[in-house]
Amino acid sequence: MDYSFALQQLVYGLTLGCLYGLLAIGYTMVYGVLRLINFAHGDLLMVSAYMAFFGIAIFGLPWPVSFIGSVLLTALLGILIDRGAYKPIRKSPRINALITAIGVSFLLENLGLVLIGGRPKSFPMPSLFSGSIVVGTINIPALSIWIFIITSVLLVLCVLVVKKTRIGIAMRALSRDMETVMLMGIDKDRVISFTFALGSSLAAAGGIMWCMKYPAVEPFMGVIPGLKAFVAAVLGGIGNITGAALGGLILGLAEVLIVAVEPDWSGYRDAIAFFLMIIILLTRPTGILGERLPD
Amino acid sequence: MLGPNRKFTEGLFKVTTHRDRTLTVFSVIILLAFLFYADRNFDSYTVRILENIAIFITLAVSYNLINGVMGQFSLAPNAFLAIGAYTSAIFTLSQEEKLRSFIIEPMLWPLSVISFPFAISLLLAGIATALVAVMMATPVFRVRGDYLAIVTLGFGEVIQVLANNFLSITNGSLGLKGLYPYTNLWWAWGVCIFTIFCTVRLINSSYGRAMKAVREDEIAAEAMGINALRIKTFAFAFSAFFQGVAGGLLAHLITTISPSLFTFMFTFNLLIIVVIGGLGSTTGSVIAAVLITWGNEALRVFEEPSNFFGFQYEGIPGMRMILFSVILILVMLFARTGIMGRSEFTWEGLLQWFRRKIPALKV
């Protein structure tokens, strides 16, 4: 393995890692606030991809309108899922919420299957994102650069919202102690809705970029990325936004580099996240940046 | 808080009288007589549904033990089914059959020459699955229990990856073909009755009470001297054992297994069964397993072209799954207790019901 090959793989790994990171942030925020593994989160990636696809291919919208519309609608869907499915059972045991989440996830996937069909659709790529830049011997796709820039901007925005704004402070307070927050006169449901909206819109941004990188839109495309993004969130320390992005990067790099070093293992690529999860649980269950939360 | 939970204390004072035992034995004999009749007279499609029902009861009852009684959310049944199916299939295939089907890579040496009778292969399937369950439970239960959901869900995907790649053991994506159809009504229902018997005995033992105590309040249970980690691992392995055996039965019912067979769909169906039956109720799991397995066949009409009162209906594949996911969400939102809640069938309850409904009946 020579120098430029390693750098080339590093570029691919970073791109994949950014996408995992975007998805992981949504998981980590919802889990931090509600202690709920939102299984439907991965499927939001699929929904946003379909919306962007239909916006461009069927309604003939210019791509920026279609992309932004898809992000906004996915955020709305995130709020709807919370209000419709999770809010009524907030007080019941955790296992009920998990079952409902599985139900929502399956509903979204199968609605996609019935309404749109299982045949993968190829995603139209705007010309801005195609092409690539050659630096020395390595070839950097323009899309990778865009993914890196967009992810960084969204991550910084997200951290600023959570650290600086009033609603962000309310979110963090809610993840510590729900009852005290309610005593402070904060509308808990509004904060939770905001959390879902923020997480879902990040997932939507990730979903659209995912489709430009792997241009096949199909109803079950969100399952595996969703699963891996949760592992990334645990790896970074669940409840921690920077941690989620870091976990995503590590997972993306690990997947690409392990297969690059040992091409015989390419069949096991999807298993890497799982073994990583087992190792974290055995060695440092709170993740890299996680702190032990009062339980 | 460990409040006075009525259902919980009822379980404590469950007495099995001589009368109850006689009635149970009697009803099992009636069931066996029915199976004998079905074996002789029913067409192969109905017999197949009956065998499926037995396998799904086995799966649901053991799944309910970990999800309902123990209160830990596992999504592993499809993985456990796969392990059980592959283990038993590898051990029942004859030497010649293995030589013939492993065309990409020859089978690993000791496995390629070993063949066991069906019963032993089922037992091995159960043991292998239980061992895997223990290996998975150890890291997961050290931390919060809801990681179990994601680890088991991930494991279901990983099992497919492993089955596709361990060519010398699983034959990769070609799968294992030409299994002898050992599974008949007797095997399926025999295992089913044995599973129900073992699970009910376990739930009514001190282990079962410890499981319920941990489910209700883990800290309080630990304060009472229950080792929560050990009891969770035990429950997980116990339920995995029977799911592995059911996997073996399933493999020898459909006679061809491949990695793509064991998708999350199995787990989802089982989840619906235990939720509709009532999380924590073995009786509910049995009832719902019968209803859903039968309903799954009956609802096929939605996915096939048909003619409703002159309207041409094209039939949409996937409709059943939409229906099931909506049912799952609605049950969770509005009828959380399911059919049975956490209560169980008792002969005393049935007799009392008869006394109320038919006062003339002196029982």
Side-chain angles (χ1 to χ4, degrees):
Chain A
M1 189 165 93
D2 60 42
Y3 184 63
S4 68
F5 179 73
L7 274 179
Q8 183 71 59
Q9 296 303 320
L10 207 63
V11 169
Y12 292 145
L14 276 176
T15 316
L16 187 61
C18 284
L19 295 176
Y20 285 151
L22 275 182
L23 209 51
I25 293 172
Y27 267 118
T28 220
M29 285 198 301
V30 169
Y31 193 91
V33 171
L34 290 181
R35 298 284 179 277
L36 165 72
I37 300 174
N38 181 12
F39 284 100
H41 192 71
D43 297 304
L44 292 178
L45 178 141
M46 175 268 292
V47 172
S48 74
Y50 267 121
M51 285 199 279
F53 170 76
F54 283 127
I56 297 176
I58 308 278
F59 298 110
L61 297 173
W63 66 264
V65 180
S66 171
F67 284 8
I68 290 170
S70 154
V71 169
L72 291 180
L73 284 175
T74 311
L76 193 69
L77 180 66
I79 298 176
L80 280 180
I81 290 174
D82 171 53
R83 286 286 158 121
Y86 302 150
K87 193 180 163 221
I89 46 167
R90 218 153 263 165
K91 287 207 172 64
S92 54
R94 193 179 281 133
I95 188 164
N96 293 347
L98 283 172
I99 292 172
T100 316
I102 289 274
V104 172
S105 155
F106 230 69
L107 181 62
L108 288 178
E109 287 159 18
N110 285 290
L111 272 179
L113 190 64
V114 167
L115 296 178
I116 305 166
R119 203 166 55 84
K121 297 186 164 44
S122 76
F123 194 84
M125 179 129 96
S127 56
L128 177 66
F129 301 111
S130 53
S132 56
I133 298 167
V134 179
V135 180
T137 50
I138 58 170
N139 172 29
I140 307 175
L143 183 64
S144 291
I145 301 173
W146 279 108
I147 288 178
F148 192 74
I149 293 171
I150 294 173
T151 307
S152 316
V153 170
L154 288 177
L155 177 65
V156 170
L157 275 180
C158 190
V159 170
L160 280 180
V161 165
V162 171
K163 293 266 163 166
K164 301 287 180 196
T165 60
R166 286 177 64 87
I167 195 134
I169 294 169
M171 248 168 73
R172 281 186 292 144
L174 209 58
S175 71
R176 285 303 170 97
D177 189 341
M178 199 169 274
E179 270 153 33
T180 315
V181 169
M182 285 160 73
L183 287 174
M184 297 294 180
I186 291 169
D187 184 356
K188 178 185 78 168
D189 290 320
R190 210 171 61 94
V191 180
I192 293 175
S193 288
F194 180 77
T195 312
F196 270 91
L198 195 58
S200 308
S201 47
L202 291 178
I208 295 167
M209 292 195 282
W210 184 280
C211 277
M212 288 195 281
K213 188 161 189 298
Y214 306 99
V217 195
E218 49 108 6
F220 296 94
M221 63 177 280
V223 179
I224 298 283
L227 206 64
K228 288 178 181 169
F230 186 81
V231 174
V234 174
L235 176 62
I238 198 117
N240 186 316
I241 291 171
T242 330
L246 185 67
L249 279 183
I250 293 175
L251 182 61
L253 282 173
E255 279 193 355
V256 170
L257 292 185
I258 287 177
V259 175
V261 171
E262 196 64 65
D264 287 348
W265 291 359
S266 59
Y268 298 100
R269 214 183 105 159
D270 284 343
I272 292 171
F274 176 78
F275 288 108
L276 209 58
M277 175 92 169
I278 298 286
I279 295 169
I280 312 157
L281 290 183
L282 282 172
T283 52
R284 192 178 157 82
T286 50
I288 299 169
L289 297 181
E291 46 187 320
R292 202 166 285 276
L293 285 170
D295 200 0
Chain B
M1 195 194 73
L2 194 67
N5 186 330
R6 213 170 61 85
K7 289 280 148 45
F8 183 63
T9 44
E10 264 175 14
L12 279 177
F13 303 112
K14 196 164 284 165
V15 257
T16 310
T17 61
H18 189 65
R19 179 200 67 195
D20 289 354
R21 205 164 292 151
T22 320
L23 283 170
T24 308
V25 171
F26 191 62
S27 53
V28 169
I29 291 172
I30 290 179
L31 175 65
L32 292 179
F34 169 72
L35 292 179
F36 187 73
Y37 178 79
D39 202 20
R40 292 288 174 87
N41 297 305
F42 287 1
D43 59 285
S44 62
Y45 178 64
T46 319
V47 168
R48 185 69 175 253
I49 293 180
L50 282 175
E51 287 161 349
N52 263 326
I53 287 179
I55 292 175
F56 267 87
I57 293 177
T58 311
L59 287 167
V61 165
S62 48
Y63 190 42
N64 177 55
L65 180 75
I66 186 78
N67 272 29
V69 179
M70 187 73 246
Q72 303 297 317
F73 193 46
S74 150
L75 293 171
N78 59 329
F80 289 162
L81 265 171
I83 298 173
Y86 269 103
T87 314
S88 74
I90 284 166
F91 286 122
T92 57
L93 274 179
S94 65
Q95 206 172 328
E96 303 83 64
E97 194 65 51
K98 284 173 185 170
L99 265 177
R100 204 174 324 139
S101 25
F102 280 69
I103 45 174
I104 312 174
E105 241 179 72
M107 199 174 195
L108 210 63
W109 166 67
L111 293 176
S112 62
V113 289
I114 301 174
S115 279
F116 286 125
F118 185 46
I120 296 178
S121 86
L122 281 186
L123 192 67
L124 286 172
I127 292 170
T129 317
L131 281 178
V132 172
V134 171
M135 287 191 318
M136 239 191 324
T138 316
V140 167
F141 288 137
R142 285 179 71 232
V143 287
R144 307 176 51 89
D146 39 348
Y147 284 118
L148 185 66
I150 214 86
V151 169
T152 46
L153 181 63
F155 187 64
E157 303 290 333
V158 168
I159 271 294
Q160 289 178 42
V161 170
L162 296 182
N164 267 321
N165 284 288
F166 279 168
L167 293 176
S168 57
I169 298 175
T170 63
N171 203 18
S173 54
L174 293 179
L176 300 172
K177 290 189 189 70
L179 303 177
Y180 186 81
Y182 286 110
T183 308
N184 52 22
L185 274 177
W186 303 110
W187 272 110
W189 282 91
V191 168
C192 169
I193 293 170
F194 180 68
T195 310
I196 297 176
F197 174 76
C198 292
T199 314
V200 169
R201 288 301 292 259
L202 179 76
I203 293 172
N204 289 333
S205 72
S206 61
Y207 281 96
R209 290 195 291 276
M211 288 174 194
K212 288 175 184 167
V214 172
R215 172 187 73 192
E216 296 301 327
D217 189 330
E218 191 169 331
I219 297 167
E222 292 227 295
M224 306 300 277
I226 294 169
N227 186 337
L229 173 66
R230 193 187 296 168
I231 200 87
K232 281 180 198 169
T233 312
F234 173 71
F236 197 45
F238 187 92
S239 110
F241 177 86
F242 287 107
Q243 284 167 10
V245 174
L249 285 175
L250 193 70
H252 292 88
L253 182 66
I254 47 187
T255 67
T256 303
I257 54 172
S258 63
S260 57
L261 183 68
F262 302 97
T263 58
F264 187 67
M265 205 72 88
F266 270 112
T267 305
F268 189 72
N269 276 335
L270 283 173
L271 192 63
I272 291 177
I273 289 174
V274 296
V275 165
I276 288 182
L279 270 176
S281 166
T282 308
T283 320
S285 298
V286 174
I287 296 173
V290 178
L291 280 179
I292 298 287
T293 314
W294 175 78
N296 225 336
E297 292 298 323
L299 289 176
R300 272 184 202 283
V301 288
F302 283 109
E303 305 198 345
E304 284 158 5
S306 54
N307 203 330
F308 284 119
F309 309 109
F311 288 106
Q312 200 61 36
Y313 178 69
E314 284 297 316
I316 309 167
M319 265 329 262
R320 282 186 299 171
M321 278 296 119
I322 291 195
L323 202 66
F324 280 139
S325 17
V326 171
I327 291 176
L328 182 71
I329 297 172
L330 290 182
V331 168
M332 240 34 266
L333 293 187
F334 301 112
R336 211 160 304 147
T337 49
I339 298 174
M340 293 296 288
R342 276 178 185 171
S343 33
E344 296 289 354
F345 168 83
T346 53
W347 288 110
E348 187 57 40
L350 185 72
L351 291 177
Q352 268 177 11
W353 185 83
F354 269 127
R355 284 188 203 109
R356 268 202 313 276
K357 292 283 165 186
I358 317 163
L361 199 71
K362 297 274 181 290
V363 274

